[in-house]
Amino acid sequence: MIEKEAMYKLTYGLFVVTTKDGEKHNGCIVNTVSMLTDDPKRIVLFVNKANYTNELVLKTKMFNVSVLTESAPFEIFQRYGFSSGRDKDKFEGTRYEVSANGLRYLPDHTNAVLSAKVVDALDYGTHTLFVAEVTEAKTLSQEKSVTYEYYQNHIKPKPQAAAKADAPTEKGKGKWVCKICGYVYEGEELPDDFICPWCKHPAEDFERVQ
Ligand code: FE
């Protein structure tokens, strides 16, 4: 038996992975970047293949990892995590800087930036596992790195609050909130195949709040 709850006990950080395609810059939120070997300095990164960033990293073969800190506002997660860069410029109206490899990174609410060159890309069904060599690593601040758990407890809007902030539903209508990002679905029944339009998580990650 595989308990979902047990799988949630693993610890993760949160990062903005940025890359580009020609002049088009893009980035997304990931929770899986780890060091693979110290000498040479190599890291691994897993990206959901549904992400535009996956396509760009496969093509450009390089990326930056901005390590988010506990001061990161929910707005950063919405900007880079809950929309696709296919049809918008995620950097519009925000501050960014450029590292030696020509890619952008986030100078605010981050404590480090790693630049990496892809040496291997393995297809694992829903995700690509990238192995990459670190070409530059820079400390940006001494703030604490944010963990996925901290995001869940302190940054993401609480389901109840998110539901209440919305206009009241019609009488007798149910309300469901995505436990991952706080998106609110209105309706008596949540379809089994429903996919959260913000974070792309399935119906099982929703809970009924009304
Ligand atoms: Fe969601």
Side-chain angles (χ1 to χ4, degrees):
M1 147 183 204
I2 294 176
E3 282 184 47
K4 206 173 175 189
E5 173 88 24
M7 298 302 292
Y8 288 154
K9 299 297 184 200
L10 292 169
T11 52
Y12 300 99
L14 285 163
F15 317 92
V16 177
V17 169
T18 47
T19 184
K20 67 171 183 174
D21 179 13
E23 287 314 299
K24 166 99 182 180
H25 288 264
N26 193 52
C28 74
I29 302 272
V30 302
N31 62 350
T32 45
V33 177
S34 303
M35 190 157 91
L36 176 65
T37 55
D38 187 47
D39 185 19
K41 287 257 180 312
R42 281 182 171 165
I43 55 175
V44 287
L45 156 73
F46 313 137
V47 184
N48 191 313
K49 280 157 69 179
N51 281 343
Y52 180 46
T53 299
N54 181 70
E55 201 178 306
L56 299 191
V57 174
L58 279 172
K59 203 166 158 182
T60 311
K61 295 197 166 25
M62 55 181 193
F63 59 88
N64 279 349
V65 177
S66 297
V67 182
L68 291 169
T69 62
E70 291 182 352
S71 73
F74 187 60
E75 192 271 330
I76 289 188
F77 298 91
Q78 281 182 305
R79 175 184 285 270
Y80 296 100
F82 305 152
S83 65
S84 176
R86 277 196 178 86
D87 32 55
K88 68 177 268 193
D89 175 8
K90 291 195 184 182
F91 295 95
E92 199 189 325
T94 194
R95 256 164 51 80
Y96 60 83
E97 281 181 30
V98 179
S99 52
N101 61 1
L103 298 181
R104 295 176 182 178
Y105 67 91
L106 276 61
D108 304 316
H109 308 294
T110 48
N111 58 16
V113 56
L114 312 180
S115 297
K117 219 173 108 191
V118 173
V119 292
D120 220 344
L122 301 164
D123 188 326
Y124 275 94
T126 55
H127 288 67
T128 306
L129 162 58
F130 292 101
V131 176
E133 192 149 335
V134 176
T135 55
E136 192 183 4
K138 200 162 65 175
T139 303
L140 303 174
S141 80
Q142 296 303 329
E143 277 181 46
K144 269 178 88 172
S145 301
V146 71
T147 60
Y148 187 64
E149 189 184 13
Y150 186 94
Y151 166 79
Q152 286 290 339
N153 295 333
H154 302 286
I155 299 175
K156 186 190 80 172
K158 293 271 177 287
Q160 294 291 348
K164 276 184 194 138
D166 246 33
T169 46
E170 286 167 39
K171 202 168 179 259
K173 231 182 167 189
K175 213 168 211 185
W176 303 75
V177 172
C178 174
K179 288 189 277 184
I180 310 299
C181 72
Y183 174 82
V184 178
Y185 174 87
E186 287 183 14
E188 200 41 40
E189 293 298 326
L190 181 75
D192 287 344
D193 59 353
F194 189 76
I195 301 289
C196 177
W198 285 1
C199 70
K200 312 288 184 258
H201 274 247
E204 64 190 69
D205 286 321
F206 278 71
E207 67 181 2
R208 188 166 185 152
V209 291
Q210 192 175 298

